[in-house]
Amino acid sequence: MSSSRSCFASLAISLVVFMAMVARVPVEGARAFFVFGDSLVDNGNNNYLVTTARADSPPYGIDYPTHRPTGRFSNGYNIPDIISQKLGAEATLPYLSPQLTGEKLLVGANFASAGIGILNDTGIQFANVIRISQQMEFFQEYQQRVGAVVGEEQAQKLVNKALVLITLGGNDFVNNYFLAPITARRLQYNIQDFSHYLIVEYRKILKRLYKLGARRVLVTGSGPLGCVPSQLATTSANGPMRGGASKRCSDIQPPSYSNDSRTKSRAWIRHIYCC
């Protein structure tokens, strides 16, 4: 019970922080919204792919208005949906959706794909997913498509003024480093060095996003990794854990860094993605 409360409290705090961040972004008429990342923000792209990382069957979607699976890895709405509602806009469509044409393009697009990570070798067990490098290429393609509708200059303004959400990192631990007792990445790095490596690679992704025109960017961190359902099944106090021990889900976390390191990282993000 304490484990569930801890997970719920962590999620609640994360959502409060999200809403506070969104509320600080001024709304100047219609604002496009772009989403990049993994299953936490995928709203259906993987439904169009031949992959095992899909959310197209019950119980996914049981609390969605249609009570049917939508491709979201959620019982109902996900974080991008909540942000869209906060902005007073309709939900963005998956980029692979055939419905994303014409004026629908002006709302934005969701490029996220379940199973991917910061690293290209994350989620290889899912085979056909849209890795972050491919998501960036789709973003470029999107801008060309919008340019054909409203002109290149207006397309650039739309992208520059848009709100962008990117959520990555959890799968690099759960579906890569900790995927098995022995993995290539665990042989290559200890957990501290692996985490630093992820930060370095994530920074490259954010710079790439900036070069593509993104200016207002929400960058999320990884939540309690031990609270991921797949991890709860094998590591929680109510289930077996490798090595025979048991922990609360909130005990299984990436390593923490000094306040100085966090301050420098936040300062860099504020410098690159100011307002």
Side-chain angles (χ1 to χ4, degrees):
M1 180 65 72
S2 61
S3 173
S4 299
R5 289 175 179 171
S6 174
C7 294
F8 179 79
S10 176
L11 177 60
I13 292 171
S14 298
L15 288 176
V16 168
V17 172
F18 256 120
M19 293 304 100
M21 294 171 70
V22 172
R24 292 176 61 185
V25 179
V27 178
E28 303 165 358
R31 181 188 299 281
F33 181 34
F34 302 110
V35 182
F36 301 86
D38 54 28
S39 62
L40 292 178
V41 290
D42 182 358
N43 69 343
N45 278 309
N46 280 22
N47 279 1
Y48 300 95
L49 304 174
V50 179
T51 177
T52 56
R54 295 167 67 109
D56 57 352
S57 60
Y60 292 117
I62 57 174
D63 295 319
Y64 196 75
T66 61
H67 304 295
R68 294 180 178 180
T70 62
R72 294 166 173 81
F73 286 73
S74 170
N75 58 300
Y77 293 119
N78 61 10
I79 292 172
D81 292 321
I82 296 171
I83 292 178
S84 291
Q85 292 168 7
K86 187 72 175 181
L87 293 174
E90 60 183 286
T92 55
L93 289 171
Y95 186 68
L96 298 184
S97 171
Q99 299 177 33
L100 188 64
T101 59
E103 292 188 359
K104 289 285 186 181
L105 287 165
L106 305 183
V107 176
N110 187 313
F111 302 92
S113 177
I116 67 113
I118 295 170
L119 306 178
N120 279 331
D121 61 308
T122 292
I124 56 175
Q125 68 272 31
F126 301 124
N128 190 22
V129 290
I130 311 171
R131 307 203 178 280
I132 191 61
S133 56
Q134 181 64 57
Q135 291 183 30
M136 297 295 171
E137 291 179 16
F138 279 157
F139 189 34
Q140 280 186 292
E141 182 181 89
Y142 163 87
Q143 294 183 44
Q144 295 172 357
R145 293 173 63 187
V146 171
V149 176
V150 298
E152 291 185 10
E153 183 177 349
Q154 288 301 315
Q156 188 63 52
K157 288 182 179 179
L158 180 144
V159 170
N160 291 158
K161 292 182 178 180
L163 182 65
V164 178
L165 170 66
I166 183 167
T167 297
L168 289 171
N171 281 328
D172 294 287
F173 291 98
V174 175
N175 285 309
N176 191 333
Y177 194 85
F178 291 120
L179 182 61
I182 298 177
T183 62
R185 291 299 186 181
R186 293 181 82 165
L187 293 174
Q188 187 178 11
Y189 298 102
N190 61 37
I191 186 63
Q192 287 79 15
D193 289 342
F194 181 68
S195 299
H196 178 71
Y197 174 53
L198 290 180
I199 292 172
V200 171
E201 293 303 306
Y202 206 165
R203 181 169 180 168
K204 294 177 183 177
I205 292 169
L206 295 176
K207 283 186 174 182
R208 173 67 172 155
L209 198 55
Y210 181 83
K211 288 181 179 179
L212 290 175
R215 294 296 182 270
R216 296 172 169 87
V217 182
L218 300 178
V219 182
T220 70
S222 295
L225 300 181
C227 294
V228 175
S230 62
Q231 298 302 298
L232 278 174
T234 57
T235 64
S236 73
N238 296 321
M241 182 174 182
R242 298 185 187 98
S246 64
K247 292 184 179 182
R248 294 182 304 169
C249 73
S250 57
D251 291 336
I252 308 167
Q253 299 279 3
S256 59
Y257 290 88
S258 66
N259 288 331
D260 182 60
S261 297
R262 290 175 179 173
T263 300
K264 289 180 180 178
S265 296
R266 289 169 181 163
W268 179 81
I269 290 174
R270 283 197 298 270
H271 173 71
I272 297 296
Y273 301 108
C274 176
C275 309

